[in-house]
Amino acid sequence: AQSVSQHNHHVILSEAASLELGCNYSYGGTVNLFWYVQYPGQHLQLLLKYFSGDPLVKGIKGFEAEFIKSKFSFNLRKPSVQWSDTAEYFCAVNAKGGGNKLTFGTGTQLKVEL
Amino acid sequence: GAGVSQSPSNKVTEKGKDVELRCDPISGHTALYWYRQSLGQGLEFLIYFQGNSAPDKSGLPSDRFSAERTGGSVSTLTIQRTQQEDSAVYLCASSSTGTGATGELFFGEGSRLTVL
């Protein structure tokens, strides 16, 4: 069965700092990878996804993530965070050929201070 | 509707009572999911419906939990004899499948359940 680990549970940054949130998955086969974001008081929404091709994927609001197959990782990055990036971030994995069932990590709460 | 709709948005109940949570997915989406979000626990998969196939119930935590999806659209999650540990936000999501499917889930706002 697939599983996802997010090692950073709470991250506090100042505006303009760089961000990297870790995500590791456990699954022996081919996967699709996702980052979802939940802003305060809002529903979960897709930030970016990786299906195939270029392992560096770009999403909305300047976020990007790099799939490193050898490390089973899909870390989320942003060069310069803004106060409005304060949210909870969830990494998720889906086994290809396994339907659309997503397994989520426990989430990382990011707080960006002015 | 434009998005996934869930009701009620908030439900407070007494221990031992039954509750029903409703989800109305995006029109045309064949896949429907229920997740549970507890503080510090992330999103816990509960059940997954895909078209007319038998649902994947592997995430239901006990036999007090059940879900159905009528007519391939609206779904109801039922929790019988609620316990305090059932307190959580119950999230519904839907997605399209088939050729060109993105695998993206579209989530509702959730139903916050509090069991006293």
Side-chain angles (χ1 to χ4, degrees):
Chain A
Q2 59 220 38
S3 65
V4 180
S5 297
Q6 292 182 245
H7 305 294
N8 313 104
H9 299 295
H10 292 88
V11 174
I12 301 174
L13 295 173
S14 299
E15 270 205 325
S18 64
L19 169 72
E20 181 160 3
L21 300 182
C23 172
N24 289 90
Y25 68 92
S26 173
Y27 182 71
T30 306
V31 294
N32 299 321
L33 296 158
F34 305 79
W35 277 96
Y36 280 79
V37 60
Q38 188 171 29
Y39 297 102
Q42 297 187 26
H43 59 86
L44 274 159
Q45 57 188 284
L46 182 68
L47 193 58
L48 50 78
K49 62 188 178 186
Y50 171 80
F51 273 46
S52 64
D54 189 344
L56 184 62
V57 294
K58 295 187 183 299
I60 60 173
K61 304 185 179 185
F63 286 91
E64 65 179 32
E66 184 175 13
F67 171 48
I68 302 179
K69 188 175 181 180
S70 61
K71 294 184 178 181
F72 297 89
S73 69
F74 190 56
N75 292 356
L76 180 70
R77 301 195 293 250
K78 185 170 183 178
S80 176
V81 295
Q82 300 174 305
W83 177 80
S84 58
D85 294 325
T86 295
E88 191 158 17
Y89 294 81
F90 294 91
C91 183
V93 64
N94 156 243
K96 285 190 177 179
N100 281 344
K101 175 181 172 180
L102 289 192
T103 299
F104 286 83
T106 52
T108 297
Q109 184 68 52
L110 171 66
K111 181 178 180 182
V112 180
E113 297 178 331
L114 295 170
Chain B
V4 177
S5 177
Q6 291 188 245
S7 61
S9 55
N10 277 288
K11 175 72 176 179
V12 179
T13 190
E14 293 179 347
K15 178 181 173 181
K17 300 286 189 182
D18 298 351
V19 297
E20 287 189 350
L21 308 176
R22 175 189 167 102
C23 173
D24 199 343
I26 292 173
S27 178
H29 279 189
T30 58
L32 185 148
Y33 309 73
W34 284 98
Y35 284 85
R36 179 166 69 175
Q37 186 176 21
S38 305
L39 194 62
Q41 299 295 316
L43 275 76
E44 176 188 5
F45 167 76
L46 297 177
I47 188 169
Y48 162 48
F49 295 90
Q50 173 56 58
N52 296 320
S53 302
D56 177 352
K57 303 179 181 181
S58 60
L60 294 178
S62 76
D63 58 8
R64 296 187 294 106
F65 288 72
S66 63
E68 63 177 20
R69 189 179 185 191
T70 54
S73 181
V74 172
S75 177
T76 302
L77 176 69
T78 301
I79 308 172
Q80 295 178 310
R81 305 181 303 280
T82 52
Q83 304 294 312
Q84 288 181 332
E85 60 263 29
D86 299 334
S87 296
V89 177
Y90 290 82
L91 294 171
C92 177
S94 68
S95 74
S96 60
T97 57
T99 301
T102 64
E104 177 180 357
L105 300 191
F106 294 84
F107 283 86
E109 301 276 352
S111 292
R112 181 177 296 278
L113 174 65
T114 303
V115 182
L116 302 176

